Amino acid sequence: MEETPIDDLAVPPAPGAEQYPALDLANSAVALTGGQFADLLGTPAAANRWLFRHGLAPADAGIQETCASQLRSLREQIRALLAARVAGQPAPGDALDAVNRAMTKAPAAALLRWDPARGLQRVAAHPVNQILDHALAVLAGDAADLLTGADADRLTACPSAPCNRYLLRHGRRHWCSTRCGDRARAARAYARRGRPGTD
């Protein structure tokens, strides 16, 4: 798939993504028509912008590739759990483990460390690591709330190919955007016109 520049992407949040940041995280790798693809976490700067927009990091947090990679990894584990939930399948064990680890990443205090030169001392993690660990813990907890809460039964995958986003159904709406709904309706109309005896 060819990657589309993030600035060229104008896809509104899927229904439920404003309520559940973890759902928006899952949808941050977007399949577009024509084999196009956009990753809203594709670079450290993009990951920093995404975290800032969701109130999980300051604009100048200085997210590096290692941190962006951890965020993308959590996204894939959350997507695996959403896919299993939508399909009515058991949750993948590795995804459960990854999300559970992320929920416990943010320590409440500076941890106790042994330094041979200075002895026992309390040491806080690097500030950027603290920011990322907090963000990962918040997003993982949010995913757990979504998957186990009252909205879990409303979770669905957008049925408009090639879309790969998840959403919360609301009434009859089961597409992630107007664009996907229009594309699905156009495809159905085209299919009806193409069948013998439908003219």
Side-chain angles (χ1 to χ4, degrees):
M1 262 190 195
E2 185 180 331
E3 189 159 348
T4 298
I6 291 167
D7 295 339
D8 295 345
L9 184 65
V11 179
E18 291 175 348
Q19 180 182 357
Y20 292 99
L23 185 58
D24 206 36
L25 176 68
N27 291 335
S28 64
V30 185
L32 304 167
T33 56
Q36 299 290 309
F37 175 79
D39 188 348
L40 302 179
L41 309 174
T43 66
N48 203 140
R49 282 191 301 273
W50 191 93
L51 289 168
F52 174 68
R53 281 197 306 271
H54 290 81
L56 295 170
D60 60 352
I63 299 294
Q64 300 298 311
E65 180 53 35
T66 303
C67 295
S69 176
Q70 289 178 52
L71 190 59
R72 290 190 298 267
S73 178
L74 180 62
R75 171 183 65 198
E76 296 314 310
Q77 301 302 335
I78 291 173
R79 285 186 62 79
L81 292 174
L82 296 178
R85 176 70 169 90
V86 166
Q89 299 292 320
D94 57 340
L96 280 175
D97 291 344
V99 170
N100 283 332
R101 271 192 315 276
M103 279 193 280
T104 62
K105 265 191 156 316
L111 302 178
L112 200 55
R113 301 270 194 252
W114 173 259
D115 182 310
R118 292 186 253 162
L120 210 51
Q121 58 184 332
R122 291 185 76 173
V123 179
H126 186 277
V128 173
N129 291 352
Q130 285 180 328
I131 290 168
L132 182 72
D133 287 348
H134 172 72
L136 293 175
V138 167
L139 291 164
D142 189 62
D145 289 344
L146 170 59
L147 289 162
T148 62
D151 289 326
D153 289 337
R154 295 176 47 218
L155 184 65
T156 190
C158 183
S160 180
C163 188
N164 65 337
R165 299 197 317 157
Y166 293 95
L167 65 137
L168 294 181
R169 280 187 310 273
H170 182 70
R172 293 184 48 185
R173 181 176 178 178
H174 56 274
W175 293 288
C176 73
S177 66
T178 304
R179 182 185 318 184
C180 279
D182 291 346
R183 192 167 51 235
R185 285 187 284 276
R188 281 198 309 269
Y190 179 78
R192 280 194 302 270
R193 282 195 307 266
R195 283 187 290 217
T198 58
D199 291 341

